């Protein structure tokens, strides 16, 4: 298996993680619920990574359970900005180095403030993209703070 930036960062900091791979069509992203079911994992424990931009042009990474919808108002409040919107998909790779469906909160080209949904604290391990389509990483959510600037907040739509 080819290491991704996310895996290299974890190895560098000697952080324990596990890698899962799932089948997919080359270059085609698979929705998070499907990934959770393919891996036989609780969808509440599998997280998606979304990148947002604020009204004052600052970027924030948001990590929420795959079956939940991101509440942009809650995210903006947690980020301390007036408003946030999702970045256009075409801007994802140039900004992060990751493609849609393979975006990991770690190993981006630049480190952005990262908001993780509070529900992650309920688990000893969470699962998120390993940095490419078809690859997931399972690790302790508290270890994310050793790699990126993490804040926990309620980010899900009711």
């Amino acid at each position: 298996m080819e290491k991704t930036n996310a895996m290299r960062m974890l190895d560098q900091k000697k952080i324990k993680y596990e890698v899962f791979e799932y089948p997919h069509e080359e270059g085609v992203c698979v929705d998070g619920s499907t990934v959770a079911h393919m891996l036989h994992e609780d969808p509440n424990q599998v997280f998606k990574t979304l990148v947002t931009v604020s009204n004052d042009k600052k970027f924030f990474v948001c990590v929420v359970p795959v079956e939940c919808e991101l509440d942009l108002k809650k995210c903006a409040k947690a980020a301390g900005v007036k408003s946030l919107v999702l970045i256009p998909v075409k801007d994802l790779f140039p900004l992060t180095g990751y493609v849609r469906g393979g975006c990991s909160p770690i190993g981006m080209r630049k480190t952005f403030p990262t908001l993780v949904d509070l529900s992650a604290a309920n688990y000893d391990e969470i699962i998120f993209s390993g940095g490419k389509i078809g690859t997931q990483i399972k690790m302790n959510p508290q270890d994310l703070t050793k790699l990126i600037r993490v804040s926990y907040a309620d980010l899900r739509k009711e």
Side-chain angles (χ1 to χ4, degrees), residues 19 27 42 61 65 72 74 95-97 127:
V19 175
D42 177 356
V61 176
L72 290 167
K74 286 181 180 179
L95 181 69
T96 66
I127 300 165

Side-chain angles (χ1 to χ4, degrees), residues 14-77:
K14 297 183 180 8
I15 295 172
K16 182 181 160 202
Y17 68 98
E18 192 175 344
V19 175
F20 296 102
E21 292 185 295
Y22 59 89
H24 67 285
E25 187 179 326
E26 191 60 40
V28 178
C29 71
V30 180
D31 74 274
S33 295
T34 301
V35 171
H37 295 300
M38 280 195 282
L39 298 177
H40 306 289
E41 295 286 346
D42 177 356
N44 295 313
Q45 204 171 341
V46 180
F47 287 71
K48 59 187 171 185
T49 304
L50 303 167
V51 182
T52 63
V53 62
S54 68
N55 56 297
D56 56 355
K57 305 293 183 231
K58 293 180 184 158
F59 296 98
F60 295 87
V61 176
C62 301
V63 181
V64 294
V66 295
E67 291 188 339
C68 296
E69 190 176 341
L70 184 66
D71 187 320
L72 290 167
K73 287 184 181 183
K74 286 181 180 179
C75 291
K77 184 176 180 183

Side-chain angles (χ1 to χ4, degrees), residues 15 106 116 139-152:
I15 295 172
I106 51 179
V116 177
M139 64 178 282
N140 184 306
Q142 299 305 315
D143 285 340
L144 284 173
T145 61
K146 298 173 184 174
L147 299 164
I148 55 177
R149 296 175 294 184
V150 173
S151 299
Y152 288 90

